Amino acid sequence: MDLLNIESHKHIAELLNMFASSLIPTINKPSRRVCITHSTTTLIDNIYVKFYDFHTTVKSASLMTDISDHLPAVCFIFYNKP
């Protein structure tokens, strides 16, 4: 499901609402490497995480590479408990 089309596709909003209580998407920008334009961009490559408490920090990104026309997503989870 393309998360960039949340307003035009009811099922995407329903999925995100269902996830909202437990899972959060970490990637929020288009992930196509070749010819990124407004009409061809998609956000279908994602990593979903569950936050347990405020000590958890999540950093994510899409890597620039020639492996595919979609950028690989990476996610780093830091747990800083005093």
Side-chain angles (χ1 to χ4, degrees):
M1 291 188 190
D2 183 6
L3 296 184
L4 296 178
N5 288 326
I6 190 168
E7 282 116 25
S8 60
H9 291 80
K10 179 182 171 185
H11 59 280
I12 297 172
E14 290 172 355
L15 175 71
L16 289 179
N17 286 334
M18 182 179 67
F19 280 0
S21 63
S22 60
L23 298 173
I24 299 169
T26 62
I27 305 296
N28 58 12
K29 295 186 179 172
S31 57
R32 290 201 66 198
R33 185 184 75 78
V34 179
C35 190
I36 296 178
T37 67
H38 180 68
S39 63
T40 62
T41 57
T42 59
L43 177 51
I44 59 173
D45 310 298
N46 221 314
I47 299 171
Y48 294 86
V49 296
K50 181 175 182 175
F51 288 102
Y52 291 97
D53 59 33
F54 63 91
H55 297 292
T56 305
T57 302
V58 176
K59 302 284 185 180
S60 62
S62 295
L63 303 177
M64 294 300 290
T65 181
D66 291 334
I67 295 172
S68 171
D69 64 333
H70 287 264
L71 304 175
V74 295
C75 182
F76 300 95
I77 300 173
F78 304 95
Y79 186 72
N80 303 313
K81 190 169 183 177

Coordinates of all heavy atoms in Angstrom, one line a residue:
M1 N 0.8 -1.2 0.0 CA 0.0 0.0 0.0 C 0.9 1.2 0.0 O 1.8 1.3 0.8 CB -0.9 0.0 1.2 CG -1.9 -1.0 1.2 SD -3.0 -0.7 2.6 CE -3.9 -2.2 2.6
D2 N 0.5 2.2 -0.8 CA 1.3 3.4 -1.0 C 0.8 4.4 0.1 O -0.3 4.9 0.0 CB 1.1 4.0 -2.4 CG 1.9 5.2 -2.6 OD1 2.7 5.6 -1.7 OD2 1.7 5.8 -3.7
L3 N 1.7 4.7 1.1 CA 1.3 5.6 2.2 C 1.2 7.0 1.7 O 0.7 7.8 2.5 CB 2.3 5.4 3.3 CG 2.4 4.1 4.0 CD1 3.3 4.1 5.2 CD2 1.0 3.6 4.4
L4 N 1.6 7.3 0.5 CA 1.5 8.7 0.0 C 0.1 9.0 -0.5 O -0.3 10.1 -0.7 CB 2.5 9.0 -1.1 CG 3.9 8.9 -0.8 CD1 4.8 9.1 -2.0 CD2 4.3 9.9 0.3
N5 N -0.7 7.9 -0.6 CA -2.1 8.1 -1.1 C -3.2 7.9 -0.1 O -4.3 7.4 -0.3 CB -2.4 7.1 -2.3 CG -1.6 7.4 -3.5 OD1 -1.5 8.6 -3.8 ND2 -1.2 6.4 -4.2
I6 N -2.8 8.3 1.1 CA -3.7 8.1 2.3 C -5.1 8.8 2.1 O -6.1 8.3 2.5 CB -3.1 8.5 3.6 CG1 -3.9 8.0 4.8 CG2 -2.8 10.0 3.6 CD1 -3.2 8.1 6.1
E7 N -5.1 10.0 1.5 CA -6.3 10.7 1.3 C -7.2 10.1 0.2 O -8.4 10.3 0.2 CB -6.0 12.2 1.0 CG -5.7 13.0 2.2 CD -4.2 13.5 2.1 OE1 -3.8 13.7 1.0 OE2 -3.6 13.7 3.2
S8 N -6.6 9.5 -0.8 CA -7.4 9.0 -1.9 C -7.8 7.5 -1.8 O -8.6 7.1 -2.6 CB -6.7 9.3 -3.2 OG -5.5 8.6 -3.3
H9 N -7.3 6.8 -0.9 CA -7.6 5.4 -0.7 C -8.0 5.1 0.7 O -7.1 5.1 1.6 CB -6.4 4.5 -1.1 CG -6.1 4.6 -2.6 ND1 -5.4 5.6 -3.2 CD2 -6.4 3.7 -3.6 CE1 -5.3 5.4 -4.5 NE2 -5.9 4.3 -4.7
K10 N -9.2 4.8 0.9 CA -9.8 4.6 2.3 C -9.1 3.5 3.0 O -8.9 3.5 4.2 CB -11.3 4.3 2.1 CG -12.0 4.1 3.4 CD -13.4 3.8 3.2 CE -14.1 3.3 4.4 NZ -15.5 2.9 4.2
H11 N -8.7 2.4 2.3 CA -8.1 1.2 3.0 C -6.7 1.6 3.6 O -6.4 0.9 4.5 CB -8.1 0.1 2.0 CG -7.3 0.3 0.8 ND1 -7.8 1.0 -0.3 CD2 -6.0 0.0 0.4 CE1 -6.9 1.1 -1.3 NE2 -5.8 0.5 -0.8
I12 N -6.0 2.5 3.0 CA -4.7 2.9 3.5 C -4.9 3.6 4.9 O -4.2 3.3 5.9 CB -3.9 3.8 2.6 CG1 -3.6 3.0 1.3 CG2 -2.6 4.3 3.2 CD1 -3.0 3.8 0.2
A13 N -5.9 4.5 4.9 CA -6.2 5.2 6.2 C -6.6 4.2 7.2 O -6.3 4.3 8.4 CB -7.2 6.3 6.0
E14 N -7.5 3.2 6.8 CA -7.9 2.2 7.8 C -6.8 1.4 8.3 O -6.7 1.1 9.5 CB -9.0 1.3 7.1 CG -10.3 2.0 6.8 CD -11.2 1.2 6.0 OE1 -10.8 0.1 5.5 OE2 -12.4 1.6 5.8
L15 N -5.8 1.0 7.5 CA -4.7 0.3 7.9 C -3.8 1.1 8.9 O -3.5 0.6 10.0 CB -3.8 -0.1 6.7 CG -2.5 -0.8 7.1 CD1 -2.7 -2.2 7.6 CD2 -1.5 -0.8 5.9
L16 N -3.6 2.3 8.6 CA -2.8 3.2 9.5 C -3.5 3.4 10.8 O -2.9 3.4 11.9 CB -2.4 4.5 8.9 CG -1.4 4.4 7.8 CD1 -1.1 5.7 7.2 CD2 -0.1 3.8 8.2
N17 N -4.8 3.5 10.8 CA -5.6 3.7 12.1 C -5.5 2.4 12.9 O -5.4 2.5 14.1 CB -7.0 4.0 11.8 CG -7.2 5.5 11.4 OD1 -6.4 6.3 11.7 ND2 -8.2 5.7 10.6
M18 N -5.5 1.2 12.2 CA -5.4 0.0 12.9 C -4.0 -0.2 13.6 O -3.9 -0.6 14.7 CB -5.7 -1.2 12.0 CG -5.6 -2.5 12.6 SD -5.9 -3.9 11.5 CE -4.5 -3.8 10.4
F19 N -3.0 0.3 12.8 CA -1.6 0.2 13.3 C -1.3 1.2 14.4 O -0.4 1.0 15.3 CB -0.6 0.5 12.2 CG -0.3 -0.7 11.3 CD1 -1.0 -1.9 11.5 CD2 0.5 -0.6 10.2 CE1 -0.7 -3.0 10.6 CE2 0.8 -1.6 9.4 CZ 0.2 -2.8 9.6
A20 N -2.1 2.3 14.4 CA -1.7 3.4 15.3 C -1.7 3.0 16.8 O -0.9 3.6 17.6 CB -2.8 4.6 15.1
S21 N -2.4 2.0 17.2 CA -2.4 1.6 18.6 C -1.1 0.8 18.9 O -0.8 0.6 20.1 CB -3.6 0.8 18.9 OG -3.7 -0.3 18.2
S22 N -0.4 0.3 17.9 CA 0.7 -0.6 18.2 C 1.9 -0.4 17.3 O 3.1 -0.5 17.7 CB 0.3 -2.0 18.2 OG -0.2 -2.4 16.9
L23 N 1.7 -0.1 16.0 CA 2.8 0.0 15.1 C 2.9 1.4 14.4 O 1.9 1.9 14.0 CB 2.7 -1.1 14.0 CG 2.8 -2.5 14.5 CD1 2.5 -3.5 13.4 CD2 4.1 -2.8 15.1
I24 N 4.1 1.9 14.2 CA 4.3 3.2 13.6 C 5.3 3.0 12.4 O 6.3 2.4 12.5 CB 4.9 4.2 14.6 CG1 3.9 4.3 15.8 CG2 5.2 5.5 14.0 CD1 4.5 5.0 17.0
P25 N 4.9 3.6 11.2 CA 5.8 3.5 10.1 C 7.0 4.5 10.3 O 6.8 5.6 10.8 CB 5.0 4.0 8.9 CG 3.9 4.7 9.5 CD 3.6 4.2 10.9
T26 N 8.2 4.0 10.0 CA 9.4 4.9 10.2 C 9.9 5.6 9.0 O 10.6 6.6 9.1 CB 10.6 4.0 10.7 OG1 10.9 3.0 9.7 CG2 10.3 3.3 12.0
I27 N 9.5 5.3 7.8 CA 9.8 6.0 6.6 C 8.7 6.8 6.1 O 7.5 6.4 6.1 CB 10.2 5.0 5.4 CG1 11.3 4.0 5.9 CG2 10.6 5.7 4.2 CD1 12.6 4.6 6.2
N28 N 9.0 8.1 5.8 CA 7.9 9.0 5.5 C 8.1 9.8 4.2 O 7.4 10.8 3.9 CB 7.6 10.0 6.6 CG 8.8 10.8 7.0 OD1 9.8 10.8 6.3 ND2 8.7 11.5 8.1
K29 N 9.1 9.4 3.4 CA 9.4 10.0 2.1 C 9.4 9.0 1.0 O 9.6 7.8 1.3 CB 10.7 10.7 2.1 CG 10.7 11.9 3.1 CD 12.0 12.7 3.1 CE 11.8 13.8 4.1 NZ 13.0 14.5 4.3
P30 N 9.1 9.4 -0.2 CA 9.1 8.4 -1.4 C 10.4 7.6 -1.4 O 11.5 8.1 -1.1 CB 9.0 9.3 -2.6 CG 8.3 10.5 -2.1 CD 8.8 10.7 -0.7
S31 N 10.3 6.4 -1.9 CA 11.5 5.5 -1.8 C 11.9 4.9 -3.2 O 12.5 3.9 -3.3 CB 11.2 4.3 -0.9 OG 10.0 3.6 -1.2
R32 N 11.5 5.6 -4.3 CA 11.9 5.2 -5.6 C 13.2 6.0 -6.1 O 13.2 7.2 -6.0 CB 10.8 5.4 -6.6 CG 9.7 4.5 -6.4 CD 8.8 4.3 -7.5 NE 9.5 3.6 -8.6 CZ 9.1 3.6 -9.9 NH1 8.0 4.3 -10.2 NH2 9.7 3.0 -10.8
R33 N 14.2 5.2 -6.5 CA 15.4 5.8 -6.9 C 15.4 6.4 -8.3 O 16.0 7.5 -8.6 CB 16.6 4.8 -6.8 CG 17.9 5.4 -7.1 CD 19.0 4.3 -7.1 NE 18.9 3.5 -8.4 CZ 19.4 3.9 -9.5 NH1 20.0 5.1 -9.6 NH2 19.3 3.1 -10.6
V34 N 14.7 5.8 -9.2 CA 14.8 6.2 -10.6 C 13.6 7.1 -10.9 O 12.4 6.8 -10.6 CB 14.7 5.0 -11.6 CG1 14.7 5.4 -13.0 CG2 15.9 4.1 -11.3
C35 N 13.8 8.3 -11.4 CA 12.8 9.2 -11.9 C 11.7 9.5 -10.9 O 10.6 9.2 -11.0 CB 12.1 8.6 -13.2 SG 11.0 9.7 -14.0
I36 N 12.2 10.1 -9.8 CA 11.2 10.5 -8.8 C 10.5 11.8 -9.2 O 11.1 12.8 -9.3 CB 11.9 10.7 -7.4 CG1 12.5 9.4 -6.9 CG2 10.9 11.3 -6.4 CD1 13.3 9.5 -5.6
T37 N 9.2 11.6 -9.5 CA 8.4 12.7 -9.9 C 7.1 12.6 -9.1 O 6.8 11.6 -8.5 CB 8.0 12.7 -11.4 OG1 7.2 11.6 -11.6 CG2 9.3 12.7 -12.2
H38 N 6.3 13.7 -9.1 CA 5.0 13.7 -8.3 C 4.1 12.6 -8.7 O 3.4 12.0 -7.9 CB 4.3 15.0 -8.4 CG 3.1 15.1 -7.7 ND1 3.0 15.1 -6.3 CD2 1.8 15.2 -8.1 CE1 1.8 15.2 -5.9 NE2 1.0 15.2 -7.0
S39 N 4.1 12.3 -10.0 CA 3.1 11.2 -10.5 C 3.6 9.8 -10.4 O 2.9 8.9 -10.5 CB 2.8 11.5 -12.0 OG 3.9 11.4 -12.8
T40 N 4.9 9.6 -10.2 CA 5.5 8.3 -10.1 C 6.0 7.9 -8.7 O 6.4 6.7 -8.5 CB 6.6 8.1 -11.1 OG1 7.7 9.0 -10.8 CG2 6.2 8.3 -12.5
T41 N 6.0 8.8 -7.8 CA 6.5 8.4 -6.4 C 5.6 7.5 -5.7 O 4.4 7.6 -5.8 CB 6.8 9.7 -5.6 OG1 5.6 10.4 -5.5 CG2 7.9 10.5 -6.2
T42 N 6.2 6.6 -4.9 CA 5.4 5.8 -4.0 C 6.2 5.6 -2.7 O 7.4 5.8 -2.6 CB 5.2 4.4 -4.6 OG1 6.5 3.8 -4.9 CG2 4.4 4.4 -5.9
L43 N 5.4 5.3 -1.7 CA 6.0 5.0 -0.4 C 5.5 3.6 0.0 O 4.5 3.5 0.8 CB 5.6 6.0 0.6 CG 6.1 5.8 2.1 CD1 7.6 5.5 2.1 CD2 5.8 7.1 2.9
I44 N 6.0 2.6 -0.5 CA 5.6 1.2 -0.2 C 6.7 0.4 0.5 O 6.4 -0.7 1.0 CB 5.2 0.4 -1.5 CG1 6.3 0.4 -2.5 CG2 3.9 1.1 -2.1 CD1 6.0 -0.5 -3.7
D45 N 7.9 1.0 0.6 CA 9.0 0.3 1.3 C 9.1 0.9 2.7 O 9.5 2.1 2.9 CB 10.3 0.5 0.6 CG 10.1 0.2 -0.9 OD1 9.8 -0.9 -1.2 OD2 10.3 1.1 -1.7
N46 N 8.8 0.2 3.7 CA 8.7 0.7 5.1 C 9.1 -0.3 6.1 O 9.2 -1.5 5.9 CB 7.3 1.2 5.4 CG 7.4 2.6 6.1 OD1 8.1 2.7 7.1 ND2 6.6 3.5 5.7
I47 N 9.4 0.2 7.3 CA 9.7 -0.6 8.5 C 8.7 0.0 9.6 O 8.7 1.1 9.8 CB 11.2 -0.4 8.9 CG1 12.1 -0.9 7.9 CG2 11.4 -1.2 10.2 CD1 13.6 -0.5 8.1
Y48 N 8.0 -0.9 10.2 CA 7.1 -0.6 11.2 C 7.7 -1.0 12.6 O 8.2 -2.1 12.7 CB 5.7 -1.3 11.0 CG 5.0 -0.8 9.8 CD1 5.3 -1.4 8.6 CD2 4.1 0.3 9.9 CE1 4.7 -0.9 7.4 CE2 3.5 0.7 8.7 CZ 3.8 0.1 7.5 OH 3.1 0.6 6.4
V49 N 7.6 -0.1 13.6 CA 8.1 -0.4 14.9 C 7.0 -0.1 15.9 O 6.1 0.6 15.7 CB 9.3 0.5 15.2 CG1 10.5 0.2 14.3 CG2 9.0 2.0 15.2
K50 N 7.3 -0.8 17.1 CA 6.4 -0.6 18.2 C 7.2 0.2 19.3 O 8.3 -0.3 19.7 CB 5.9 -1.9 18.8 CG 5.0 -1.8 19.9 CD 4.4 -3.1 20.4 CE 3.5 -2.9 21.5 NZ 2.8 -4.2 21.9
F51 N 6.7 1.3 19.8 CA 7.4 2.0 20.8 C 6.9 1.5 22.2 O 5.7 1.4 22.4 CB 7.1 3.5 20.7 CG 7.8 4.1 19.6 CD1 7.1 4.4 18.4 CD2 9.1 4.4 19.6 CE1 7.8 5.0 17.3 CE2 9.8 5.0 18.6 CZ 9.1 5.3 17.4
Y52 N 7.8 1.2 23.1 CA 7.4 0.7 24.4 C 7.4 1.8 25.4 O 6.6 1.8 26.3 CB 8.4 -0.4 24.8 CG 8.3 -1.7 24.0 CD1 9.1 -1.9 22.9 CD2 7.3 -2.6 24.3 CE1 8.9 -3.1 22.2 CE2 7.1 -3.7 23.6 CZ 7.9 -4.0 22.5 OH 7.7 -5.1 21.7
D53 N 8.3 2.7 25.4 CA 8.3 3.9 26.3 C 9.1 5.0 25.8 O 9.7 4.9 24.7 CB 8.8 3.4 27.7 CG 10.2 2.9 27.7 OD1 11.0 3.4 26.8 OD2 10.5 2.0 28.4
F54 N 9.2 6.1 26.5 CA 9.8 7.3 26.0 C 11.4 7.2 26.0 O 12.0 8.1 25.6 CB 9.4 8.5 26.9 CG 9.8 8.4 28.3 CD1 11.0 9.0 28.7 CD2 8.9 7.8 29.2 CE1 11.3 8.9 30.1 CE2 9.3 7.8 30.6 CZ 10.5 8.3 31.0
H55 N 11.9 6.1 26.5 CA 13.4 5.9 26.4 C 13.9 5.4 25.1 O 15.0 5.3 24.9 CB 13.8 4.9 27.5 CG 13.6 5.4 28.9 ND1 14.2 6.4 29.5 CD2 12.7 4.9 29.9 CE1 13.8 6.6 30.7 NE2 12.8 5.7 31.0
T56 N 13.0 5.0 24.2 CA 13.3 4.5 22.9 C 13.4 5.6 21.9 O 12.5 6.4 21.7 CB 12.3 3.4 22.5 OG1 12.2 2.5 23.5 CG2 12.7 2.8 21.2
T57 N 14.5 5.6 21.1 CA 14.6 6.5 20.0 C 14.8 5.7 18.7 O 15.6 4.8 18.7 CB 15.9 7.4 20.2 OG1 15.8 8.1 21.4 CG2 16.1 8.4 19.1
V58 N 14.1 6.1 17.7 CA 14.2 5.4 16.4 C 14.6 6.4 15.3 O 14.1 7.5 15.2 CB 12.8 4.8 16.0 CG1 12.8 4.2 14.6 CG2 12.3 3.8 17.1
K59 N 15.7 6.0 14.6 CA 16.2 6.7 13.5 C 16.1 5.8 12.2 O 16.5 4.7 12.3 CB 17.6 7.1 13.7 CG 17.9 8.0 14.9 CD 17.4 9.4 14.7 CE 17.8 10.2 15.9 NZ 17.4 11.6 15.8
S60 N 15.6 6.4 11.1 CA 15.4 5.6 9.9 C 15.8 6.4 8.7 O 15.8 7.6 8.8 CB 14.0 5.0 9.8 OG 13.1 6.1 9.7
A61 N 16.1 5.7 7.6 CA 16.5 6.4 6.4 C 16.3 5.4 5.2 O 16.2 4.2 5.4 CB 17.9 6.9 6.5
S62 N 16.3 6.0 4.0 CA 16.4 5.2 2.8 C 17.8 5.5 2.2 O 18.2 6.6 2.1 CB 15.3 5.7 1.8 OG 14.0 5.5 2.3
L63 N 18.4 4.4 1.8 CA 19.8 4.5 1.3 C 19.9 4.7 -0.2 O 19.1 4.0 -0.9 CB 20.6 3.2 1.7 CG 20.6 2.8 3.2 CD1 21.4 1.5 3.4 CD2 21.3 3.9 4.0
M64 N 20.7 5.5 -0.6 CA 20.9 5.7 -2.1 C 21.9 4.6 -2.6 O 23.0 4.5 -2.1 CB 21.6 7.1 -2.3 CG 20.7 8.3 -2.0 SD 19.2 8.3 -2.9 CE 19.7 8.7 -4.5
T65 N 21.4 3.8 -3.5 CA 22.1 2.6 -4.0 C 21.6 2.2 -5.4 O 20.4 2.6 -5.7 CB 22.1 1.5 -3.0 OG1 22.8 0.4 -3.6 CG2 20.7 1.0 -2.8
D66 N 22.3 1.5 -6.1 CA 21.9 1.0 -7.5 C 21.4 -0.4 -7.4 O 21.2 -1.0 -8.5 CB 23.1 1.1 -8.4 CG 23.5 2.5 -8.7 OD1 22.7 3.4 -8.6 OD2 24.7 2.7 -9.1
I67 N 21.1 -0.9 -6.3 CA 20.6 -2.3 -6.1 C 19.3 -2.5 -6.9 O 19.0 -3.5 -7.5 CB 20.4 -2.7 -4.6 CG1 21.8 -2.7 -4.0 CG2 19.8 -4.0 -4.5 CD1 21.7 -2.9 -2.5
S68 N 18.4 -1.5 -6.7 CA 17.0 -1.7 -7.3 C 16.5 -0.3 -7.6 O 17.1 0.7 -7.3 CB 16.1 -2.3 -6.2 OG 14.8 -2.3 -6.6
D69 N 15.3 -0.2 -8.2 CA 14.7 1.1 -8.4 C 14.0 1.6 -7.1 O 13.6 2.7 -7.1 CB 13.7 1.1 -9.6 CG 12.5 0.1 -9.3 OD1 12.7 -0.8 -8.5 OD2 11.4 0.4 -9.9
H70 N 13.9 0.8 -6.1 CA 13.4 1.2 -4.8 C 14.6 1.3 -3.8 O 15.5 0.4 -3.8 CB 12.4 0.2 -4.3 CG 11.1 0.3 -5.0 ND1 10.1 1.1 -4.5 CD2 10.7 -0.2 -6.1 CE1 9.1 1.0 -5.3 NE2 9.4 0.2 -6.3
L71 N 14.6 2.3 -3.0 CA 15.7 2.5 -2.1 C 15.5 1.6 -0.8 O 14.4 1.5 -0.3 CB 15.7 4.0 -1.6 CG 15.9 5.0 -2.7 CD1 15.8 6.4 -2.1 CD2 17.2 4.8 -3.5
P72 N 16.6 0.9 -0.4 CA 16.5 0.1 0.8 C 16.3 1.0 2.0 O 16.8 2.0 2.2 CB 17.9 -0.6 0.9 CG 18.7 -0.1 -0.2 CD 17.9 0.9 -1.0
A73 N 15.4 0.5 2.9 CA 15.1 1.2 4.2 C 15.9 0.6 5.3 O 16.1 -0.6 5.4 CB 13.6 1.1 4.5
V74 N 16.5 1.5 6.1 CA 17.2 1.0 7.3 C 16.6 1.7 8.6 O 16.0 2.8 8.5 CB 18.7 1.3 7.2 CG1 19.4 0.6 6.1 CG2 19.0 2.8 7.1
C75 N 16.7 1.0 9.7 CA 16.2 1.5 10.9 C 17.1 1.2 12.1 O 17.6 0.1 12.2 CB 14.8 0.9 11.2 SG 14.0 1.5 12.6
F76 N 17.4 2.2 12.9 CA 18.2 2.0 14.1 C 17.4 2.3 15.3 O 16.7 3.4 15.4 CB 19.4 3.0 14.1 CG 20.3 2.8 12.9 CD1 20.2 3.5 11.7 CD2 21.3 1.8 12.9 CE1 21.0 3.3 10.6 CE2 22.1 1.6 11.8 CZ 21.9 2.4 10.6
I77 N 17.4 1.4 16.3 CA 16.6 1.6 17.5 C 17.6 1.7 18.7 O 18.4 0.9 18.9 CB 15.6 0.4 17.7 CG1 14.7 0.3 16.5 CG2 14.9 0.6 19.0 CD1 13.8 -0.9 16.5
F78 N 17.5 2.8 19.4 CA 18.3 3.1 20.5 C 17.4 3.1 21.8 O 16.4 3.7 21.8 CB 19.0 4.5 20.4 CG 19.8 4.7 19.1 CD1 19.2 5.3 18.0 CD2 21.1 4.2 19.1 CE1 19.9 5.4 16.9 CE2 21.8 4.4 17.9 CZ 21.2 5.0 16.8
Y79 N 17.9 2.4 22.7 CA 17.2 2.3 24.0 C 18.0 2.9 25.1 O 19.1 2.3 25.4 CB 16.8 0.8 24.3 CG 15.9 0.7 25.5 CD1 14.5 1.1 25.5 CD2 16.4 0.2 26.7 CE1 13.7 1.0 26.6 CE2 15.5 0.1 27.8 CZ 14.2 0.5 27.7 OH 13.4 0.4 28.8
N80 N 17.6 4.0 25.6 CA 18.4 4.7 26.6 C 17.7 4.8 27.9 O 17.0 5.7 28.3 CB 18.7 6.2 26.2 CG 19.4 6.2 24.8 OD1 20.3 5.5 24.6 ND2 18.9 7.0 23.9
K81 N 17.9 3.7 28.7 CA 17.3 3.7 30.0 C 18.3 4.1 31.1 O 19.4 3.6 31.2 CB 16.8 2.3 30.3 CG 15.9 2.2 31.6 CD 15.3 0.8 31.7 CE 14.3 0.9 32.9 NZ 13.6 -0.4 33.0
P82 N 17.8 5.1 31.9 CA 18.8 5.6 33.0 C 19.1 4.6 34.0 O 18.3 3.7 34.2 CB 18.0 6.8 33.6 CG 16.7 6.8 33.0 CD 16.6 5.8 31.9

